[in-house]
Amino acid sequence: MREIWTEQIKKRFRNIGILAALCVVIGIAAPIGQNKEKMAGESLIADAEMEEECGEELPDEYLMADAAAEDTEAADADTDKQCGGYCYKILADDTVEITAYQGSETTLFIPTYIEDKPVRVIGVQAFKNNKTVERIYLPQGVVEIGEEAFAGCEALQDIYITEDVERIGKRALADCPLLEEIVFPKALSMIENMMCQGDTELKQITIQPEVSEIAEDAFTECESLRLIYGESEFAQNYAETNDFVYVDMERVREEGNLVW
């Protein structure tokens, strides 16, 4: 009898031990779950605080990412794009430079705007050695024509340069054998080296009063050049020094287009 009673007591203690163990496990598990929820909540708060602070001071990794993005944007801005046969790029001042022409038109009206941005520059060698273009009209607003921009355009007969152009690079109009006349723009102050070298049919040029310097070899191999139109003492002296006939534009306006 005593043995049976002893065995029952042991069994009860075992059950009590199991219950106690379960209570301990539950007691531990509840704080763990609470801690996880607490940690998740703190993480969200930290993210929100980071977002608020980013407006003032960003961590280094964020700054590095922003710098890389800016470099990518700058590289994209410097990459040539295409529109209607023209290759171009957006410059740092949000204007456009024409870098090349891949079309086959004979008459070109170069656009005033591309992507709603003004065309300001005709780039270096942009139209060099073009075989088809016969007439080129530059848009208002262009201020610079790069070196050799139109060199070697063997079919070019006429080019209309707007008065805003301040600089025309070396050999910009060289080796254009059918070009007969050039009117240099009012904003131009210097006619560069070999500007029209090899333009064998070039017969007359107009030098504006603002031009105060002409390179010695600007018109080498221009065998047909005879007439200098101008209205300044500099233009007249240049014509006389180089044995060209000088045509005074003031007299032309008053008396008609005569050669004296």
Side-chain angles (χ1 to χ4, degrees):
M1 183 69 175
R2 179 176 291 182
E3 292 177 357
I4 294 171
W5 182 78
T6 302
E7 189 64 31
Q8 289 177 348
I9 291 174
K10 289 181 178 179
K11 185 176 180 180
R12 287 181 180 179
F13 274 110
R14 282 198 299 271
N15 291 337
I16 291 170
I18 292 170
L19 287 172
L22 287 172
C23 289
V24 170
V25 170
I26 292 170
I28 292 172
I32 290 174
Q34 293 172 358
N35 287 338
K36 287 183 177 179
E37 292 177 359
K38 183 178 179 181
M39 289 172 65
E42 289 176 350
S43 177
L44 291 173
I45 293 171
D47 289 344
E49 290 175 350
M50 174 67 76
E51 290 177 2
E52 292 179 0
E53 292 174 0
C54 281
E56 298 178 1
E57 185 175 354
L58 292 171
D60 290 343
E61 57 269 24
Y62 284 87
L63 294 174
M64 291 172 66
D66 285 346
E70 289 176 2
D71 290 342
T72 300
E73 290 177 0
D76 289 342
D78 195 48
T79 301
D80 285 6
K81 304 178 180 181
Q82 288 191 353
C83 177
Y86 296 98
C87 298
Y88 67 95
K89 61 183 178 182
I90 307 299
L91 303 178
D93 61 356
D94 218 27
T95 62
V96 173
E97 174 182 341
I98 302 293
T99 58
Y101 177 68
Q102 298 179 345
S104 58
E105 298 292 332
T106 57
T107 299
L108 293 181
F109 292 88
I110 297 176
T112 305
Y113 293 91
I114 296 179
E115 292 189 24
D116 293 326
K117 305 179 192 304
V119 176
R120 290 286 184 265
V121 179
I122 306 300
V124 173
Q125 299 184 353
F127 294 83
K128 185 177 182 180
N129 295 331
N130 181 283
K131 306 299 183 185
T132 59
V133 65
E134 297 175 1
R135 293 173 180 82
I136 296 176
Y137 297 81
L138 270 64
Q140 295 291 333
V142 169
V143 296
E144 181 177 349
I145 298 174
E147 294 184 8
E148 295 193 314
F150 301 102
C153 290
E154 60 184 30
L156 184 62
Q157 300 173 30
D158 299 294
I159 182 166
Y160 298 89
I161 303 172
T162 51
E163 296 180 353
D164 298 327
V165 175
E166 300 173 356
R167 181 181 179 276
I168 304 177
K170 298 176 181 179
R171 287 184 49 81
L173 297 164
D175 298 322
C176 298
L178 299 183
L179 192 60
E180 295 186 0
E181 179 182 0
I182 299 173
V183 177
F184 290 103
K186 288 185 176 180
L188 189 70
S189 61
M190 178 181 180
I191 298 177
E192 297 271 5
N193 299 80
M194 299 178 286
M195 176 75 72
C196 301
Q197 182 185 34
D199 293 354
T200 54
E201 293 300 313
L202 184 63
K203 294 178 173 60
Q204 62 189 53
I205 61 174
T206 298
I207 300 175
Q208 306 291 351
E210 287 72 18
V211 173
S212 58
E213 184 176 355
I214 300 177
E216 184 176 348
D217 58 355
F219 300 101
T220 57
E221 301 175 30
C222 296
E223 300 167 359
S224 300
L225 182 58
R226 293 290 180 270
L227 302 178
I228 303 294
Y229 285 78
E231 50 186 310
S232 68
E233 186 176 345
F234 176 83
Q236 184 172 2
N237 290 337
Y238 179 80
E240 292 173 353
T241 302
N242 292 276
D243 295 327
F244 297 132
V245 175
Y246 179 70
V247 180
D248 191 328
M249 290 300 296
E250 292 184 1
R251 291 185 63 182
V252 168
R253 282 190 289 270
E254 294 174 0
E255 305 174 19
N257 190 13
L258 302 175
V259 177
W260 296 275

